[in-house]
Structures are given as C-alpha cells and as structure tokens.
Amino acid sequence: MLASSPRKLGVEEEFHLIDLKTRRLTTRAPELLARLPDDAYVDELQRCVVEVNSGVFTDLADLRSDLAWHRSLLVDAAEGLGVGVAAAGSMPLALPTEMQVTGSLRYQRMLADYQMLAREQLICGTQVHVDVPDRDEAVQVANRIAPYLPVFLALSVSSPFRADGSDTGYASARTLLWLRWPSTGPAAPVSSAAEYDTLIDDLVSSGVISDPGMAYFDIRPSAKLPTLELRVCDSCPRLDTVILVAALFRALVEREVQGLRAGDKGLKIVSTMTRAALWRAARSGLEADLVDVTVPRSRPAADIVEDFVRSLRPQLEETGDWDTVLELSTAALATGSSAARQRQAFQRRNRLTDVVDQLLAETADRVSPLPEGETLVPSVHAGRSHSSVATRPRRHWAARFARRDSESELTWTGSGELDGQQLLAWRRDLHAHPELSFEERRTTRVVRDHLESLGVEPVLMPGGTGLWCDIGPETEHCIALRADLDALPITEATGLEFQSTVPGVSHACGHDAHTAMLMGAAAVLVKYPPTCRVRLIFQPGEETTPGGSVDTIAAGALEGVSKIYALHCDPNLEVGKLATRSGPITSSNASVTVRLWSQGGHTARPHLTGDLIHAGAVLITGLASVLDRRIDARTATVLTWGKVSAGQVGNSVPESGELVGTLRSASHETWANLEPLVTDTIGELLAPYHVRYELSYLQGVPPVVNDPDCTADLREAIESVVGFDHLAEAEQSSGGEDFAWYLEQVPGAMARLGVWDGVGERHELHQPGFRLDERAMIHGLRTLVALTRLGDQTE
C-alpha cells in the first residue's frame, strides 16, 4: 500500500564543463548559463562547474523525468558552445592554471579567505533534499543517519583521478579534498535546532566561515529550505545512481523519523568510527570491503549494501519504491562503481581521453563503450612491440637530388624537386604564428591547404587540430613520417625578423621546421610518387603529457602502417649532420609531487614540530640515494628536483611545503615499474618524522627505443643524403618525446637533425633564445624522402 503522503524529494547536481576538442576542463560557465533558464541552472565556486536544481516531487518517476530533462537541456546548450557536460566527482584532464573562481562577491571572498582550498576545488557532488519541516527533528535525524553515510558514498564514488591525470588510488578523491574545509564532518554534534543555529553563528562569528551555507556537513538541515540535505555523494554520471541514492535516503529519513518519534535511540557509534568508515568507502567504493559500523568489522561492500537495502524494505514498500530500488541496487552491484568503470576505460588503451569520453556519454545517456579487447596504446605492463616486418638485405639508394660537392651540402638545392624559398616561407610563417598544444588550428589549416593544393586528400583529426594523408599506391607495406605542430608557452627572445607574434608563445623546440620539412616532403612525393604507400602524420600536442600521439593513434593514424620515422632538431649538432642510434635514444619521464604538512612552530623548539624542512631535505637526498642503489645504473635513471617550497622566515618552522621533481629513465622496463618503488620509498623516508604527506606520481611517456632494422634504414637514408662522414652516433638523451607511443605499436626510429650553424652560440631547446640554421631543413627533407625510396633500387 502506498503512503498517503510520501516525503517530497529534490536533487542538486553539479556538472563539469569539458572542452570537446581537448577534453580538458573549461571555464565557460558564464557563457553557458546565459543560454539557460535561471530558475534551475546556477553557477558554482569554479567557472568550470554548473549546478542544476531539480523540481520537488513525491514520485521517483517524476523526479527521474525532471532530472533527465534538465540534463538534456544542459547538454544540448553546452554542445552549441563546443562544450561537453560530465557528472563526476573529479575529472582527469585539467590545467589548474587555466581555472578561475566565479566572479560573484561570495566566491571571490572565499578565494581571498581560503586561497589554495578554493582554487583546488575542481570537484562536483550530488545533494539530495528530503522534506523534514521540523528543524529539531532534522538535526536529530541527521545524527541518527550519520552512521549510514558510507553506504551512500560507496554507491556514488566517481573520482579516482586527480586533475593532472594521476590515479589517486581512491574511489572518491573528491572526499579527501572536501574534508580540507574547516567546517566538515558527518553531522553537526548537536541535538536541537537552537544548538545547531548557535554552532553555525559561532562559526561565522569566529571568521572561519563567512555564511551558514559554508557549514559543509555530510548531512545537515538545509540553510534555505525545510529539508534534510544529504551532501556526502560524488556527482553521479548515471542517472540510475542518483535515483537509487534519493530513494534510499528518503526511506532512511522516514525510518529514523519514525524511530525518533517512537523513542528508539537508533544506532549509536562514535564519530571517529563514522569518519573511519567514510574513509574506507572513499578508498574502496563498491569494489572491496566496507566497514560494518554495527559490529564494527570489515565486510564485502555488496553484503553491506544488500543488508542496508533490505533493512529499508518497509519504508520503500510504503512509498511504492521497493521494486525500483531492488532493481537499481542489484544493477549497481553488478556493474560496479563509476570509479571502477573509469579505471577500466583508461586501462583499455591507456588514454585519459577515453575516461572523459565515457563520462560524457554516461552523463548524456549516450553510452557507447569501446569494443572489448580494442587496444591502441598498451598498458604500461604490456610487453615491448617488435618489428613484424622481416629483415631485408641492406640496399643503398643514392638520393636523386643529393649533390656531393662540399658547398652544396650547406646551401639550398638548385634542382627542380623543391623551391627552397618556399620551404623557408612555410617555416617562417609557422614560426611567426605559433600555437599551443591542441590549439594548432591555423597551423592545421596551413598544412591542409598545402596538401589539398597538391591534390592530396588529408584526414583531419577529430579535435580539429592535426591531420594525416596518404601518398602513393595502396600497398601492403606503408611507411609513416611524422612531424609535430605545437609550440611552447615561452616568450621568444631571438630578435628574428619573423619571430613570434603571439605573446608568451614560441616555437622553441623546432616543430615549425619539422612541419615545414614534411610539407616539403609531400610536394616531392607528389611530383615523384613512391612505389609504396607513404603516410604523412602532422601531429598535435607533442608538448603535453601523455602526448598528442596518443590521440593521433586513437584516431586511426597508424592503421596499416608497418614502420614509422621522425626527425628532431638538435642544437648541439652542426648543420649538415644527422645522428641516430639503435635502442633507447630518449628517456621516459614522470612527474613526482610531494606535498608535506606538519605541526609548525618556532625554530628554537624544533622538537615540538614536525620540522618539515628537515624532513623534506631527507626526502630530497634520500630518495635519489635509494634509487641509485635499487635500480641498475645502466638504465640511466635520474631523479631531479625542480621545485622546493616551504616557509617564509628564518625563525619559523613552516606547516606545509611542496617538492616537485622529474624522474627519467632510458629503460622501458624501469619506466613501467618505477612508481611502486618511489611510493614505498617516500613513505619509508618520511616515517620517522611527524609529517603528513600527499604524493602525486604522474607517469609520462616511455623512452623512444629505436628498432634495429628501422635504425639501419634511417642510417642508409642519411648516408644517401649527406654521406657517411656526416652521419653521427646520437647520444642517449634524458629528454622525453611522445614519438615513443608510436613505437609501442609499430617499429620505427628517430634521428636528430643538426641545426647549429657551427659558429655562434648554441641555444638549447625549450629556451627563449633557441634558433636554428635554416640550411638544415633541406637535409631533413631529403632524408625523409630517402626513407620512402630504400626499396626502389637493387644492389
């Protein structure tokens, strides 16, 4: 039998805004809100978040319809701006420096008062309101419900990744961030509305919070409505999860109100145990044990959820929700948490953009998962790829336009294969108009227009930046040549006539030359067609982590490719020379960030503090020493700390600090297995000190490991262009290059192109003064073309 008057329900959902091209968080909430009704859609602390308020309903089906309609309206309006909408506790791709706090007076005050806390809140939650008009009852019921909060959190966990893409090891990292606010906890430790109001007034008077809305308890009487508000949940991508949580919360409220009125004392546990159980739910979600607070002991999450649902059957049957909740809870346990699904999406191809795409699809109810077994980028534990192309006898090909007189080696060709002035013009135009990673729209347009003018049909990347094309006959054997399009956020200081016209952005790595050379190769290959298929890949986003090559591979650019080659400018190598090597030519990279907290104090009494700076110094020196003894020195594994910050004055031990460093290795195996060693060692080094820490380990690209057969091809091509005397053995570099991801899929090799004029000062890559001798480009272009000709001639 249905209850005569089920309690009313309402839901607040928070959504991340995602740039559909880069898959990163975008701060376009003001533009989006201007397109939406202002009665249901509101801003939030961060300009990358929009909150949606449902209507008020007694029937679950009506609530679901309302939420679905509001989501659909939001998604459609956002897509009109090139923005996606994702419901999740956190998102894995964001540049924190791009994020902005909303400009309202309240939020700007919060930024001024809370600083880091306000800036780092790139998180979203779901709040459920249930009608409890008696505020005394609301306060008491909140405390009665607090022990059950871990179940709601476990059902909703959806934030396993940090904004920098690293896996936190938690199912709800949002919970950890949320607990940093000074006014959090399961529920206010009071027994009446008067006591609650006094507590909030005292918090406001103390200056710790600025208004009652900042009482961020996991369950609380609403500051504005006659409701009890559940606030513990992550934002939920699937609407089924929201409805399940809402139905269970209403049933629990009803049960506890009835118990309160009947004089039942309810479940009494200490708040410390509730916090511990909440931590376990944030750590494990539905995929491991939770804490059974009634015992207390650890039990499988599925058992605890099932027992909890069954315990509410009388109330659920009274509102007619039992069948719905039984179906939804069974499905939730069968499919697992959103956090687990996100990790599975990432593990398919090691692409964080897959995680974002899955969340976008689930939020919009357009789920289209990748086919099982589809793998474009292997797991870091996958075995190394090896050449599947049979080794052929070595052949020598004399480049048809490589003149051997000493003067011609360092001057433009006078042959008809390519106009050298055009090569210069392309490079200088690109140099004057640099674009950052995944923003290379103009550069892409320049390349596309050139290819189309040659009669070639380019394939544009899904994000609108980057493209590739095929030249030559449809043959089984396909050679790929790769160039990169993006520039760096570095202010140029070369003084060139064609230096960057974009403030703070420049081609300080030579990618403009790489692109111009491949454009030139396209012109030559169209005029003198190769005998096999050649794919020219103009890749976006090389300067990002994990690198635009991951997106390029996912878009299908390697389909049918048997070998791939690339050149990179080298300011330490004289123009006219090229260098390569078999095996590792670049290193892997990983970013290590350690944030430290401890009891501060006076330097006269360091024994009363955690002496955070001393602990940090132990970590700086100790971690490198341990790695030196635990890792084979032949792997060239190097840890370098690039940022150390703590303290402001000399006579005060600080309360917090931060260390940021990079780890590089020439060993693919070391790269794949380094994180556990670093994580364990940091914990052991800091264990003797009263210091709390948070570790962020962001694994970057693997090393570029040149395939031996492809390296032999590359050497042969270089010799045919500049001669044996100008072929050098490349040194192992500690720099990283996302060309490595291609070599996880197909064999290939990279060479270094000398761009130093041999006279002036050498200017390193990634520096404001980097400049290259443009005479080098003709040698690079010829080498690229020569790679497509190796099979043309007999001995």
Side-chain angles (χ1 to χ4, degrees):
M1 178 180 295
L2 299 183
S4 57
S5 56
R7 293 182 183 271
K8 295 177 183 177
L9 277 170
V11 171
E12 299 174 24
E13 292 193 277
E14 295 169 352
F15 297 91
H16 298 279
L17 303 184
I18 310 298
D19 186 306
L20 290 176
K21 292 182 178 179
T22 66
R23 308 301 202 283
R24 299 198 299 257
L25 288 180
T26 182
T27 58
R28 300 184 68 183
E31 296 173 68
L32 179 56
L33 289 170
R35 297 185 171 203
L36 293 163
D38 58 7
D39 59 334
Y41 301 90
V42 296
D43 57 16
E44 258 295 336
L45 173 62
Q46 294 284 348
R47 289 181 59 179
C48 58
V49 174
V50 167
E51 180 182 294
V52 180
N53 299 314
S54 78
V56 178
F57 302 94
T58 57
D59 186 86
L60 279 185
D62 292 340
L63 175 63
R64 183 190 185 92
S65 295
D66 184 78
L67 290 171
W69 183 81
H70 277 107
R71 283 191 177 203
S72 177
L73 187 61
L74 177 64
V75 168
D76 290 346
E79 286 182 348
L81 294 172
V83 172
V85 175
S90 65
M91 297 300 294
L93 292 176
L95 294 177
T97 55
E98 292 181 352
M99 298 300 100
Q100 301 172 22
V101 169
T102 299
S104 71
L105 182 61
R106 179 174 186 251
Y107 290 139
Q108 287 299 311
R109 178 177 176 181
M110 288 175 66
L111 175 61
D113 289 348
Y114 299 98
Q115 294 291 318
M116 177 188 73
L117 272 181
R119 290 191 297 270
E120 72 180 0
Q121 297 296 305
L122 304 177
I123 56 177
C124 286
T126 299
Q127 294 92 44
V128 180
H129 291 259
V130 170
D131 214 13
V132 183
D134 187 318
R135 293 187 74 248
D136 281 322
E137 275 191 342
V139 168
Q140 296 175 61
V141 169
N143 281 281
R144 293 171 68 97
I145 285 176
Y148 304 101
L149 292 174
V151 178
F152 292 104
L153 176 57
L155 287 168
S156 71
V157 290
S158 62
S159 48
F161 296 103
R162 288 176 61 95
D164 63 5
S166 59
D167 192 322
T168 64
Y170 284 77
S172 175
R174 167 192 165 274
T175 297
L176 306 185
L177 289 172
W178 192 248
L179 289 174
R180 293 181 181 176
W181 289 104
S183 51
T184 60
V190 295
S191 58
S192 70
E195 290 180 16
Y196 181 84
D197 292 341
T198 298
L199 173 62
I200 302 306
D201 288 344
D202 288 346
L203 286 171
V204 173
S205 297
S206 72
V208 172
I209 65 175
S210 56
D211 58 69
M214 288 190 65
Y216 292 143
F217 300 115
D218 294 330
I219 182 169
R220 70 178 187 184
S222 171
K224 299 179 181 179
L225 302 170
T227 63
L228 191 60
E229 182 182 4
L230 177 71
R231 302 176 51 82
V232 75
C233 296
D234 279 4
S235 192
C236 306
R238 290 185 176 176
L239 201 49
D240 282 351
T241 309
V242 180
I243 298 303
L244 175 60
V245 167
L248 290 173
F249 181 52
R250 178 167 66 176
L252 182 59
V253 169
E254 185 60 43
R255 188 184 75 182
E256 295 307 316
V257 169
Q258 293 171 0
L260 178 65
R261 292 174 179 177
D264 176 15
K265 293 183 179 180
L267 180 62
K268 295 290 186 181
I269 63 171
V270 296
S271 60
T272 302
M273 182 55 64
T274 301
R275 292 293 291 267
L278 283 166
W279 177 88
R280 172 54 63 189
R283 177 71 172 84
S284 305
L286 296 175
E287 281 62 48
D289 288 353
L290 297 177
V291 176
D292 184 342
V293 294
T294 64
V295 181
R297 63 184 174 87
S298 180
R299 292 178 59 209
D303 292 349
I304 290 179
V305 171
E306 288 173 353
D307 288 350
F308 180 64
V309 171
R310 282 195 295 267
S311 74
L312 294 173
R313 181 167 184 170
Q315 289 75 30
L316 291 167
E317 287 184 335
E318 188 176 359
T319 56
D321 298 333
W322 169 248
D323 290 340
T324 298
V325 168
L326 182 60
E327 178 183 352
L328 293 178
S329 61
T330 301
L333 294 175
T335 59
S337 67
S338 171
R341 295 196 303 275
Q342 290 177 49
R343 288 190 171 109
Q344 290 166 2
F346 175 72
Q347 289 165 4
R348 287 191 187 103
R349 305 191 296 182
N350 274 21
R351 295 181 66 234
L352 289 167
T353 51
D354 281 350
V355 178
V356 177
D357 287 344
Q358 175 175 283
L359 289 169
L360 291 170
E362 289 189 1
T363 303
D365 196 23
R366 303 171 184 167
V367 180
S368 52
L370 291 170
E372 287 299 324
E374 179 180 354
T375 304
L376 291 179
V377 178
S379 164
V380 297
H381 302 295
R384 290 283 297 137
S385 300
H386 297 285
S387 174
S388 59
V389 180
T391 302
R392 57 170 175 76
R394 306 311 305 160
R395 300 173 184 227
H396 179 75
W397 173 73
R400 70 178 60 166
F401 48 79
R403 293 165 51 191
R404 295 306 181 139
D405 60 275
S406 60
E407 184 177 350
S408 69
E409 286 184 356
L410 299 181
T411 59
W412 295 107
T413 176
S415 64
E417 282 80 10
L418 181 72
D419 179 1
Q421 293 304 313
Q422 180 62 69
L423 189 62
L424 276 176
W426 287 330
R427 186 258 165 167
R428 293 181 178 185
D429 175 68
L430 297 175
H431 189 88
H433 302 91
E435 295 170 296
L436 295 176
S437 299
F438 298 109
E439 298 177 5
E440 312 96 333
R441 293 174 180 82
R442 181 186 183 277
T443 306
T444 298
R445 185 172 64 254
V446 168
V447 176
R448 182 195 63 200
D449 290 348
H450 167 62
L451 295 175
E452 290 177 346
S453 74
L454 297 173
V456 176
E457 297 181 2
V459 178
L460 192 65
M461 287 272 290
T465 62
L467 68 164
W468 74 86
C469 69
D470 285 352
I471 299 175
E474 288 289 335
T475 56
E476 181 178 351
H477 182 53
C478 177
I479 295 173
L481 307 175
R482 172 269 207 171
D484 30 22
L485 304 176
D486 55 333
L488 288 158
I490 294 174
T491 300
E492 184 172 352
T494 62
L496 294 169
E497 292 180 2
F498 51 92
Q499 78 172 16
S500 172
T501 60
V502 181
V505 181
S506 67
H507 274 293
C509 202
H511 293 185
D512 51 341
H514 301 169
T515 300
M517 289 187 295
L518 199 57
M519 291 172 68
V524 174
L525 292 172
V526 167
K527 187 172 183 178
Y528 299 98
T531 58
C532 71
R533 186 157 49 110
V534 177
R535 180 163 298 165
L536 308 183
I537 299 174
F538 297 86
Q539 173 209 307
E542 193 278 331
E543 299 290 358
T544 60
T545 299
S549 60
V550 175
D551 300 89
T552 305
I553 294 168
L558 280 190
E559 291 177 7
V561 170
S562 50
K563 293 184 178 182
I564 187 168
Y565 302 92
L567 303 178
H568 200 293
C569 293
D570 187 345
N572 293 302
L573 194 65
E574 191 172 350
V575 67
K577 293 184 178 181
L578 288 92
T580 189
R581 63 183 289 126
S582 182
I585 189 171
T586 72
S587 295
S588 68
N589 65 58
S591 174
V592 181
T593 300
V594 185
R595 299 178 180 87
L596 304 171
W597 294 273
S598 73
Q599 178 68 40
H602 201 288
T603 54
R605 294 175 289 277
H607 59 288
L608 299 180
T609 75
D611 204 348
L612 180 143
I613 289 183
H614 179 77
V618 169
L619 184 57
I620 290 171
T621 57
L623 181 56
S625 298
V626 171
L627 295 180
D628 285 346
R629 294 300 177 269
R630 296 286 300 278
I631 298 174
D632 190 335
R634 291 170 294 182
T635 66
T637 302
V638 178
L639 168 67
T640 304
W641 297 104
K643 176 184 177 182
V644 178
S645 60
Q648 295 179 326
V649 295
N651 62 349
S652 175
V653 176
E655 296 179 340
S656 64
E658 184 179 61
L659 313 176
V660 183
T662 56
L663 262 170
R664 303 179 184 273
S665 178
S667 164
H668 189 279
E669 182 179 0
T670 300
W671 166 80
N673 297 289
L674 197 54
E675 182 175 357
L677 175 59
V678 172
T679 300
D680 293 343
T681 302
I682 288 175
E684 292 165 4
L685 289 169
L686 293 176
Y689 304 94
H690 297 296
V691 172
R692 294 176 290 113
Y693 73 94
E694 175 183 284
L695 169 63
S696 171
Y697 186 99
L698 178 59
Q699 187 179 52
V701 296
V704 172
V705 182
N706 282 349
D707 177 83
D709 194 45
C710 293
T711 304
D713 283 337
L714 196 48
R715 290 180 186 276
E716 185 176 347
I718 293 170
E719 287 181 31
S720 74
V721 172
V722 296
F724 177 81
D725 292 340
H726 289 81
L727 169 63
E729 181 73 8
E731 295 181 354
Q732 163 71 48
S733 169
S734 294
E737 231 288 353
D738 82 342
F739 185 73
W741 290 119
Y742 296 110
L743 304 190
E744 296 287 291
Q745 304 299 309
V746 297
M750 170 176 277
R752 299 203 181 106
L753 174 67
V755 297
W756 176 47
D757 64 8
V759 179
E761 180 183 356
R762 290 182 175 91
H763 295 279
E764 280 293 341
L765 300 172
H766 289 221
Q767 295 299 310
F770 170 74
R771 59 195 302 168
L772 57 87
D773 189 324
E774 292 176 321
R775 295 176 299 169
M777 291 194 295
I778 195 64
H779 304 302
L781 185 159
R782 289 171 171 171
T783 300
L784 293 171
V785 173
L787 283 164
T788 72
R789 306 290 200 217
L790 292 177
D792 287 3
Q793 310 292 328
T794 59
E795 293 281 4

